[in-house]
Amino acid sequence: MKKGLISKVQRYSINDGPGIRSTVFLKGCNLNCMWCSNPELIDFSQSYLDGKPVGELISVKDVVKEVIRDIDFYKESLGGVTFSGGEPLLQSDFLLECIKLLKDYSIHIAIDTALYVDKKIIKKLLPYVDLWLVDLKSIDDITHIKTTNVSNKIILDNIKFLYKNNVNMWIRCILVNKENYDLDELKKRLNFIESIKKCVKRVDILGYHQLGVSKYQKLNKEYLLTNEALLSDIQEKEVEELIKEYVLPIYFERGI
Amino acid sequence: MQLLEMKIDNIDTIDFKRIDRLRKIMQNRKASLCSERAKIYTEVFKETEEEPMILRKAKGLSKTLNDMSIYHLDDSLIFGNQASRNFAAPIFPEYSIKWLLDEVDSFEYRDGDVFNVSDEVKKDLREIGKYWINKTHEDNVNNNIPQINLLAEKQKVLHRGGISNSGDGHIVSDHKWLLEIGYSGMVDLINEKLKNPDLSDNQINFYNASKMTLIAGLNYAKRFANYFKEKAKLNNDKKLYYLSEIANKVLDGPCESFHEALQAIYLNHVFLMIESNGHSFCYGRIDQYLYPYYQNDIKKGVLTKAKALELITHFFIMNNSLNKIRSNGHTLFSQGYPLYTNVMVGGLLPSGEDGTNDLTYLSVEAMGLCRLNEPNFSMRYHKESPKEILSLASKLIRTGCGMPSMFNDATCIKGLIDLGIDKEDAYDYVAIGCVETGVQGKYGHRATGMTYMNWGKILEIVLNRGFDPNTNIRLFKLSKEPKSYEELWNDWKKALAFYSELSFESDRVCDRSLEIYDSSPLGSIFIHNSLELGKTLKEGGCEYDVVSQSNIGSSVVGNSLMVLKKLVFEDKKYTYSQIMEALKNNWQDEEIHKACLEVEKFGNNSDQVDLIVKDVFDSYLELLDGVKTIRYNRGPKISKYTMSTSNITSYIPNGKNVGATPDGRKAQSPLNEGCSPTQNTVSKGLTALINSVSVLPNEKVAAGQLLNTRISYQLLNNEEKIDKFISFLRVSAKKGIYHNQFNVVSNKVLKDAQIHPENHRDLIVRVAGYCAQFVALTPEAQEAIIQRNEYGA
């Protein structure tokens, strides 16, 4: 049976999809976002944070065994299991086995992904995934490359592919002042989302927050953002105004 | 001031400023002592030495209600005072006096629960004290406690609870009946009874005593009627004329308005708190028995929702003007001036239907406006409870005041039915104090908190083969070190059975004495079947007599047994003596400590250890079969022991007496609270916690299984998350969790309150089965709250 490199399973997870969920964090990511709040999950091998190992090889059976313990909570709240990371699609064989087993229990499955992967991977998961939580970090490719290290071409293409396959999507847009945010850019992102709206069940716009900063020091990694990355009150208001122009179900959470 | 959620018409008719002023008075209240009651009782007792105790008690209460000073807080719509000043505690010398005389000079220097005592009161106490030496309930208990129990107390295994030196309390009058017939109606019923020529002297005395106190209660209300009338005349004050009218007929029965009904139950409550210095005098299901009065007034057009909300808020706030003083020792077990005045709303009716109504919602909003530590506000819920009421409750929880505590009908009701309580009565259960459940108007004795048993200490004694390492006292023998887990487990069972036998005897000694000194003619009469049988509750004049002790440390014991099972007997990583050595030097060996900490702990949904904790519960439950109270066969339909983990703040002082334990806990640190996991031993989240607790025999812990959960505000900060929280509550209920209560205040705020108490007088926190003003707690209790496991998003 396959094993996956997992940092943790978070239970009573309420920010990663509908209802009460368990979120399985898979380690390893092929993006390098400037604002990443889980930098300890970027490497594809075990690392250390606060002297504790992050990432352990865990079998499909053990993951499933742990998450089905909360099945009653999922059923009551219309929740389920979310695979997040890192980039969960990079461990797609493991992922597929987990999901197939969970589907035997009729558990709702969400995948939290940046979609920077080969389409074949998505194709093979498609029939088993109930909800795709897709990050759209910038519509402008130069900005995307600058802030995440990769081009958004594949990502946009994959979003369109999901759209064609008529899946359920929640799209998440992080706003980082001076890096990926200006009003015009957000408009473009939202316009793009509007163009695929029949698949988009929800849009979460998240103001930049500094919760991950202390981890950088501990990991000896350089953190490039400063306070300036926070949206100003005026900017937050303009976002709120802009949202009103769309019929999309948009939720805006201010940063802290 | 803002409501939590409700949209109410004519909301501007509520005088929010007045509510705020009243709240401020209670927030800034200073505890003191009042000697009026003590002086009056001393006088009465001196004059009545030849008479039966029940008459002496009745005369004491009557004279007090007639002669004590009365006052009114101008802003309040609810009247009635317990002592001569706001938040002054009366003295009850007939229960105990020695500790009062010994400690009176130190009350103002305590770390928590400070009391100011004027020189005059000190003088009064010393004066009356001479009379009471060797004449109190406490003396009676001390004279009758067996020597071996004293040794077990010295070992710190047993602790005689409050009932060894104060009254019992834990009375929820049949308020419905009280409102229907009033005190006058009860006097008529008693007169009827007295016509029976076959009554025993005991019965005649009881009836006469009750009658005397009821009449004194009626007079007390009349005193207020005159007081308001005189004051009203001065400036033709309409509100005072109105209060005077209410006071004039409030207890005459039948009750005629919602306002009068609230006033009647408050006065009854105050009287019971002058009659006995027990605590946990509770109101029960106010949203049910007050509803006809509310509905009627609304129909008549004399009451609006807004006005009802204002009245309930005043009623709630006024409960913070009452007080009780405890000895230093007992205060550590019961910190934050708690009175445990429980109010219960919501839940199923005896008919099996959902009872949620307007008053359920208004009560939650009123608690949101009151936001003080009393009353101890609780809610019942079940699978058909409307989402709206659970949402409103969640919004009150979100304010951080720790209330309501959420009781799961299915488990609580089943627990009571299994004890033999009639189905309809079980459906009418309420919390009586903290989490102890019972039937309003029918329970006659405390459901929990008889003798306290320190399970952490019992474990330590088992590990030390019978010896208590602190005192070197050994009361029973164990063989040398256990060779297998089974042997160790049998030793635990043997020790638990041994100490439980002693503790039942402690209970009986206290009970025999309470029967005399806590005879409570007024407190008894509105509990069935006191009137019918002509006896006090303590003589068996109640329908149900279900009691329990308080057991502290179940998780510490279970976790410790798990560590020994795994590391010593299964993996053989360390020897028994290596672990014992590590415990002795309080974990100087870091490697062993780390290994012990790493073994699975209760609360993480890990089957093996969860089942061991369940075994620990079962090991006690199986000892309770056939244990009888002194009221067995003397009146109650049911007279039994059950179990409870409602152990207030005792897990802190109990922990202080226990050395390091194999679970990795350091010497003297707190044990676990209620059935909650030990501090800093959970990492898997809220659902894992519920799954673990659901393994325990919750419905058999029928006097209250206390689960205290600390969650971050982020879990409740929008409607969507509240929906998820409601699902969480519903699943918890399905899984048979008995009840759950929540703390939401962050450590940042708590720590700031430690440094700047003056800025945080409004900070109410969930302590145990009750809430308290954070700044009134001792530093240890504050720290223990900060150390609790917090569940985040």
Side-chain angles (χ1 to χ4, degrees):
Chain A
M1 193 174 255
K2 290 248 162 358
K3 287 191 172 188
L5 188 63
I6 284 171
S7 76
K8 67 168 178 180
V9 177
Q10 185 182 332
R11 292 160 74 172
Y12 198 79
S13 174
I14 53 174
N15 296 310
D16 299 309
I20 296 172
R21 314 188 71 80
S22 290
T23 301
V24 183
F25 289 90
L26 284 82
K27 204 164 178 312
C29 188
N30 51 1
L31 270 61
N32 204 343
C33 305
M34 299 172 78
W35 49 77
C36 181
S37 56
N38 290 322
E40 75 280 16
L41 300 185
I42 294 176
D43 296 345
F44 289 88
S45 56
Q46 196 178 60
S47 51
Y48 284 83
L49 187 69
D50 286 335
K52 287 178 193 140
V54 179
E56 202 182 332
L57 281 171
I58 299 181
S59 71
V60 171
K61 198 177 105 199
D62 285 345
V63 169
V64 170
K65 213 167 109 189
E66 169 140 15
V67 298
I68 59 167
R69 284 173 175 270
D70 285 348
I71 192 159
D72 295 335
F73 293 94
Y74 311 149
K75 300 279 173 213
E76 173 73 33
S77 65
L78 305 180
V81 174
T82 298
F83 290 88
S84 180
E87 172 53 68
L89 297 186
L90 298 175
Q91 300 185 49
S92 62
D93 292 344
F94 167 78
L95 191 57
L96 186 62
E97 278 194 39
C98 287
I99 294 175
K100 277 184 176 169
L101 270 181
L102 290 173
K103 273 294 151 199
D104 290 344
Y105 298 91
S106 305
I107 289 175
H108 180 277
I109 302 292
I111 292 191
D112 179 8
T113 171
L115 291 177
Y116 187 65
V117 292
D118 192 318
K119 202 164 284 142
K120 273 189 257 165
I121 291 178
I122 298 173
K123 239 184 217 164
K124 110 183 144 176
L125 290 164
L126 259 185
Y128 308 100
V129 177
D130 300 286
L131 175 67
W132 295 80
L133 303 170
V134 177
D135 276 0
L136 183 54
K137 299 168 199 274
S138 176
I139 202 87
D140 172 59
D141 200 26
I142 296 170
T143 306
H144 203 280
I145 293 168
K146 193 185 139 226
T147 56
T148 71
N149 235 3
V150 304
S151 159
N152 65 12
K153 284 212 178 71
I154 295 177
I155 294 172
L156 293 173
D157 200 42
N158 280 334
I159 293 179
K160 285 174 199 154
F161 175 74
L162 285 177
Y163 171 71
K164 271 184 210 139
N165 280 281
N166 209 10
V167 304
N168 292 325
M169 274 187 262
W170 284 16
I171 297 192
R172 293 154 148 195
C173 301
I174 186 166
L175 307 182
V176 185
N177 188 24
K178 303 234 157 122
E179 301 300 340
N180 74 344
Y181 174 75
D182 65 53
L183 195 60
D184 205 43
E185 197 284 332
L186 181 60
K187 250 184 224 171
K188 283 183 193 155
R189 263 198 266 184
L190 291 175
N191 289 343
F192 171 76
I193 295 169
E194 199 161 43
S195 74
I196 55 163
K197 73 175 174 212
K198 76 163 183 214
C199 289
V200 179
K201 304 300 166 204
R202 171 174 175 137
V203 181
D204 284 298
I205 298 182
L206 312 165
Y208 163 76
H209 65 76
Q210 296 179 308
L211 298 180
V213 179
S214 62
K215 292 181 187 168
Y216 280 79
Q217 252 178 347
K218 291 173 190 161
L219 294 166
N220 247 336
K221 278 192 177 181
E222 194 181 2
Y223 191 68
L224 297 169
L225 299 177
T226 63
N227 273 347
E228 288 185 2
L230 292 162
L231 260 52
S232 67
D233 289 350
I234 297 169
Q235 286 172 317
E236 285 177 342
K237 284 205 185 89
E238 70 185 24
V239 171
E240 276 162 0
E241 284 307 306
L242 179 68
I243 290 171
K244 290 180 191 159
E245 294 172 20
Y246 293 84
V247 284
L248 293 163
I250 304 177
Y251 296 78
F252 175 42
E253 195 176 309
R254 290 165 178 246
I256 22 173
Chain B
M1 281 189 150
Q2 260 192 329
L3 299 195
L4 299 165
E5 184 177 83
M6 282 176 85
K7 301 271 177 286
I8 293 176
D9 291 343
N10 309 315
I11 191 85
D12 321 336
T13 59
I14 298 179
D15 188 341
F16 285 108
K17 282 195 184 133
R18 182 165 66 182
I19 289 176
D20 205 40
R21 286 196 298 271
L22 277 172
R23 277 190 78 224
K24 286 267 153 58
I25 291 175
M26 300 308 171
Q27 259 174 32
N28 298 318
R29 63 190 191 170
K30 293 262 184 293
S32 61
L33 288 187
C34 166
S35 56
E36 281 190 3
R37 182 195 182 279
K39 286 200 296 199
I40 295 170
Y41 268 69
T42 307
E43 196 187 315
V44 169
F45 270 63
K46 278 181 182 167
E47 286 165 5
T48 56
E49 287 192 331
E50 302 306 312
E51 296 182 32
M53 184 60 93
I54 183 106
L55 287 171
R56 301 174 80 191
K57 292 274 295 187
K59 287 179 179 175
L61 178 60
S62 305
K63 191 166 168 49
T64 305
L65 294 183
N66 285 329
D67 295 355
M68 67 183 278
S69 43
I70 58 171
Y71 72 90
H72 179 64
L73 294 177
D74 286 342
D75 278 319
S76 178
L77 295 170
I78 299 292
F79 64 84
N81 57 299
Q82 183 199 15
S84 53
R85 281 176 311 281
N86 190 48
F87 208 43
I91 310 281
F92 296 72
E94 72 273 30
Y95 290 96
S96 54
I97 194 76
K98 189 173 176 303
W99 64 267
L100 262 164
L101 297 174
D102 290 348
E103 297 173 13
V104 69
D105 290 320
S106 67
F107 290 147
E108 55 196 303
Y109 304 109
R110 286 176 170 180
D111 286 342
D113 290 59
V114 172
F115 280 81
N116 291 320
V117 192
S118 69
D119 289 343
E120 200 190 327
V121 169
K122 282 183 190 170
K123 208 181 117 217
D124 287 344
L125 280 181
R126 294 205 169 97
E127 190 53 44
I128 61 167
K130 292 174 212 149
Y131 172 74
W132 291 101
I133 298 291
N134 292 328
K135 290 195 178 73
T136 68
H137 165 56
E138 184 182 44
D139 297 313
N140 185 310
V141 170
N142 282 340
N143 292 338
N144 289 294
I145 280 280
Q147 196 58 30
I148 189 165
N149 288 43
L150 291 176
L151 289 172
E153 287 178 12
K154 218 168 173 184
Q155 288 182 318
K156 304 288 183 192
V157 173
L158 300 188
H159 174 88
R160 264 178 274 157
I163 50 163
S164 66
N165 62 18
S166 66
D168 178 27
H170 291 78
I171 288 175
V172 196
S173 303
D174 182 341
H175 290 102
K176 183 169 173 276
W177 193 22
L178 167 66
L179 296 176
E180 279 165 9
I181 67 167
Y183 276 21
S184 307
M186 183 56 86
V187 170
D188 294 343
L189 290 176
I190 291 177
N191 283 335
E192 276 305 306
K193 290 280 175 199
L194 280 167
K195 284 182 190 159
N196 177 357
D198 302 327
L199 296 177
S200 67
D201 286 352
N202 209 34
Q203 286 172 310
I204 294 172
N205 289 338
F206 170 70
Y207 286 133
N208 282 329
S210 284
K211 196 165 107 180
M212 199 187 304
T213 56
L214 290 161
I215 292 170
L218 286 161
N219 285 340
Y220 177 96
K222 298 283 189 291
R223 287 178 70 199
F224 261 100
N226 289 333
Y227 169 89
F228 286 131
K229 204 165 153 194
E230 292 307 314
K231 265 188 117 176
K233 275 186 201 157
L234 294 177
N235 37 18
N236 200 19
D237 187 321
K238 267 195 198 154
K239 186 189 107 188
L240 290 175
Y241 275 121
Y242 177 61
L243 287 178
S244 170
E245 262 173 53
I246 289 191
N248 225 343
K249 61 182 170 98
V250 59
L251 291 169
D252 288 351
C255 216
E256 285 171 342
S257 72
F258 183 68
H259 190 160
E260 201 183 309
L262 279 173
Q263 183 59 62
I265 60 174
Y266 184 68
L267 280 184
N268 182 61
H269 182 76
V270 170
F271 298 159
L272 299 191
M273 289 195 61
I274 297 173
E275 181 174 49
S276 164
N277 66 345
H279 52 69
S280 303
F281 294 96
C282 299
Y283 292 107
R285 308 184 75 177
I286 60 166
D287 58 339
Q288 304 308 321
Y289 63 75
L290 290 176
Y291 192 61
Y293 302 92
Y294 166 80
Q295 225 181 1
N296 197 30
D297 281 5
I298 294 266
K299 247 189 231 157
K300 282 199 296 195
V302 296
L303 184 73
T304 60
K305 265 192 185 182
K307 191 72 198 160
L309 173 59
E310 185 172 27
L311 284 168
I312 302 170
T313 309
H314 279 235
F315 164 68
F316 281 176
I317 292 175
M318 284 304 286
N319 279 282
N320 294 277
S321 72
L322 313 176
N323 204 355
K324 162 173 177 165
I325 183 150
R326 300 169 170 87
S327 65
N328 282 339
H330 195 58
T331 287
L332 293 177
F333 277 58
S334 196
Q335 289 186 38
Y337 307 106
L339 300 175
Y340 315 102
T341 304
N342 214 302
V343 162
M344 192 126 202
V345 298
L348 292 165
L349 301 173
S351 65
E353 288 163 274
D354 175 56
T356 312
N357 62 33
D358 278 3
L359 284 182
T360 321
Y361 290 90
L362 290 172
S363 300
V364 181
E365 287 288 4
M367 202 59 216
L369 291 174
C370 166
R371 260 207 270 157
L372 296 163
N373 50 315
E374 300 286 346
N376 192 5
F377 189 67
S378 309
M379 181 178 283
R380 291 174 44 169
Y381 75 108
H382 58 97
K383 59 178 191 282
E384 307 296 336
S385 290
K387 190 180 155 196
E388 291 75 14
I389 194 65
L390 295 178
S391 166
L392 191 62
S394 305
K395 282 174 185 165
L396 181 57
I397 288 171
R398 181 168 79 175
T399 65
C401 72
M403 295 182 259
S405 174
M406 302 296 295
F407 286 75
N408 168 20
D409 274 359
T411 305
C412 295
I413 290 171
K414 179 160 191 316
L416 294 177
I417 290 177
D418 288 351
L419 282 174
I421 285 169
D422 291 348
K423 193 175 159 204
E424 274 118 70
D425 285 340
Y427 272 70
D428 216 17
Y429 81 90
V430 295
I432 309 179
C434 300
V435 301
E436 53 269 46
T437 40
V439 182
Q440 52 183 0
K442 298 193 172 177
Y443 261 49
H445 210 73
R446 65 172 54 202
T448 189
M450 301 291 288
T451 301
Y452 288 71
M453 242 200 298
N454 184 341
W455 285 7
K457 188 52 141 185
I458 297 179
L459 174 77
E460 190 178 27
I461 288 175
V462 168
L463 296 180
N464 285 283
R465 315 318 296 153
F467 282 99
D468 164 41
N470 289 349
T471 57
N472 228 11
I473 296 174
R474 186 176 71 172
L475 301 179
F476 67 101
K477 274 189 180 169
L478 287 176
S479 60
K480 273 197 197 147
E481 68 172 64
K483 294 282 173 291
S484 66
Y485 179 72
E486 286 64 39
E487 270 185 51
L488 175 65
W489 176 246
N490 285 330
D491 291 344
W492 160 261
K493 288 204 344 184
K494 184 176 166 187
L496 189 66
F498 173 80
Y499 285 110
S500 295
E501 272 311 313
L502 299 187
S503 68
F504 298 138
E505 185 54 26
S506 288
D507 292 349
R508 287 188 282 265
V509 169
C510 290
D511 268 357
R512 283 186 206 110
S513 183
L514 283 175
E515 187 174 332
I516 305 165
Y517 292 87
D518 197 32
S519 45
S520 303
L522 186 62
S524 297
I525 199 72
F526 278 102
I527 302 280
H528 306 273
N529 293 317
S530 175
L531 174 71
E532 223 30 61
L533 300 173
K535 8 165 113 167
T536 66
L537 303 177
K538 304 302 175 222
E539 292 168 321
C542 59
E543 212 165 315
Y544 300 119
D545 177 38
V546 179
V547 302
S548 72
Q549 307 180 313
S550 192
N551 303 293
I552 306 112
S554 51
S555 306
V556 168
V557 173
N559 286 341
S560 295
L561 291 172
M562 173 73 199
V563 166
L564 294 171
K565 183 175 192 198
K566 182 160 173 53
L567 297 184
V568 177
F569 301 114
E570 281 174 10
D571 299 355
K572 301 200 186 326
K573 192 166 175 188
Y574 300 108
T575 63
Y576 184 82
S577 44
Q578 273 177 307
I579 302 263
M580 287 306 294
E581 192 53 38
L583 296 181
K584 212 174 280 173
N585 61 37
N586 200 17
W587 301 114
Q588 276 174 30
D589 186 327
E590 281 177 23
E591 185 210 300
I592 296 189
H593 193 207
K594 192 161 168 260
C596 290
L597 285 172
E598 274 170 5
V599 175
E600 293 162 351
K601 299 289 187 291
F602 176 71
N604 293 302
N605 198 188
S606 162
D607 301 337
Q608 207 185 353
V609 63
D610 292 353
L611 286 168
I612 289 182
V613 176
K614 176 186 185 293
D615 287 346
V616 172
F617 272 83
D618 288 338
S619 67
Y620 178 73
L621 283 164
E622 64 199 31
L623 298 172
L624 300 180
D625 260 353
V627 183
K628 294 182 174 63
T629 78
I630 64 160
R631 294 166 292 279
Y632 181 75
N633 255 342
R634 292 171 68 197
K637 248 198 251 179
I638 292 184
S639 191
K640 288 195 166 159
Y641 265 81
T642 180
M643 181 177 177
S644 158
T645 46
S646 168
N647 46 46
I648 46 182
T649 47
S650 64
Y651 69 108
I652 303 167
N654 270 316
K656 274 203 164 169
N657 296 317
V658 180
T661 39
D663 57 340
R665 180 189 144 277
K666 291 207 166 158
Q668 299 187 346
S669 52
L671 301 174
N672 68 288
E673 191 234 351
C675 78
S676 317
T678 314
Q679 295 83 341
N680 303 316
T681 55
V682 292
S683 59
K684 298 276 185 176
L686 269 183
T687 53
L689 169 73
I690 293 302
N691 289 345
S692 281
V693 176
S694 73
V695 170
L696 304 179
N698 297 307
E699 66 201 25
K700 290 188 185 143
V701 189
Q705 175 80 302
L706 194 150
L707 175 62
N708 205 327
T709 310
R710 204 168 157 212
I711 56 176
S712 101
Y713 177 80
Q714 312 304 326
L715 256 52
L716 296 169
N717 64 1
N718 62 34
E719 294 291 333
E720 199 184 343
K721 288 181 190 165
I722 283 184
D723 279 356
K724 295 182 185 190
F725 185 68
I726 292 171
S727 299
F728 166 77
L729 289 175
R730 291 201 196 273
V731 179
S732 303
K734 243 184 241 170
K735 287 181 176 267
I737 300 302
Y738 184 94
H739 110 299
N740 208 339
Q741 52 193 12
F742 301 92
N743 244 324
V744 181
V745 186
S746 72
N747 275 349
K748 201 175 145 199
V749 173
L750 296 177
K751 282 178 181 163
D752 192 59
Q754 286 184 310
I755 302 165
H756 305 290
E758 66 286 358
N759 298 340
H760 293 277
R761 298 196 64 86
D762 60 342
L763 181 60
I764 303 296
V765 294
R766 181 53 64 180
V767 179
Y770 64 99
C771 296
Q773 208 174 8
F774 185 73
V775 299
L777 302 170
T778 61
E780 285 97 340
Q782 292 180 346
E783 204 50 43
I785 288 172
I786 289 173
Q787 289 302 323
R788 279 188 191 151
N789 307 303
E790 183 181 78
Y791 293 92

